[in-house]
């Protein structure tokens, strides 16, 4: 079983202050709507529960699309990081596979 997420077809909304506050402190009073909180939790759960994550990423002017940056923003939080002194965290190690078009 796998999850296919096409960020060009269904982009992740860019962060608002309320959503970022929720990501950084889910228990705090942040003002994010229930829909926004559910979306953040779903994206994080997809990655946390995946045995492997494969990304197909186009490069535009030497950078990645802003929709992928938004997806990454949803994953970067204290709850997803490795604690000081710990050997592992909730996210798994990654490897990069890259290709280059012909010139």
């Amino acid at each position: 079983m796998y999850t296919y997420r096409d960020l060009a077809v269904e982009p992740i909304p860019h962060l608002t202050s309320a959503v970022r506050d929720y990501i950084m402190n889910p228990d705090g009073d942040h003002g994010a709507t229930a829909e926004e909180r559910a979306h953040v939790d779903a994206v994080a759960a997809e990655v946390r529960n995946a045995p492997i994550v494969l990304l197909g990423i186009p490069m535009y002017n030497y950078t990645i699309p802003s929709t992928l940056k938004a997806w990454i923003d949803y994953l970067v939080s204290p709850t997803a990081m490795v604690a000081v002194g710990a050997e592992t965290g909730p996210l798994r190690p990654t490897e990069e596979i890259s290709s280059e078009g012909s010139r």
Side-chain angles (χ1 to χ4, degrees), residues 11-17 19 36 65-71 73-74:
I12 301 288
H14 291 276
L15 289 183
T16 62
S17 290
V19 171
E36 289 171 327
S66 68
T67 53
L68 179 60
K69 291 176 186 176
W71 181 80
D73 285 343
Y74 275 50

Side-chain angles (χ1 to χ4, degrees), residues 12-97:
I12 301 288
H14 291 276
L15 289 183
T16 62
S17 290
V19 171
R20 186 68 186 155
D21 289 347
Y22 173 70
I23 290 169
M24 298 304 287
N25 180 10
D27 298 325
D29 181 20
H30 36 68
T33 66
E35 182 180 345
E36 289 171 327
R37 292 190 309 267
H39 195 93
V40 168
D41 294 341
V43 169
E46 282 177 4
V47 174
R48 188 173 42 254
N49 296 329
I52 189 168
V53 176
L54 176 65
L55 303 173
I57 307 167
M59 296 293 287
Y60 300 120
N61 296 322
Y62 303 104
T63 190
I64 60 175
S66 68
T67 53
L68 179 60
K69 291 176 186 176
W71 181 80
I72 292 168
D73 285 343
Y74 275 50
L75 301 174
V76 177
S77 73
T79 58
M81 300 294 134
V82 177
V84 174
E87 297 211 9
T88 63
L91 297 180
R92 291 159 187 77
T94 61
E95 290 195 34
E96 175 188 353
I97 302 172

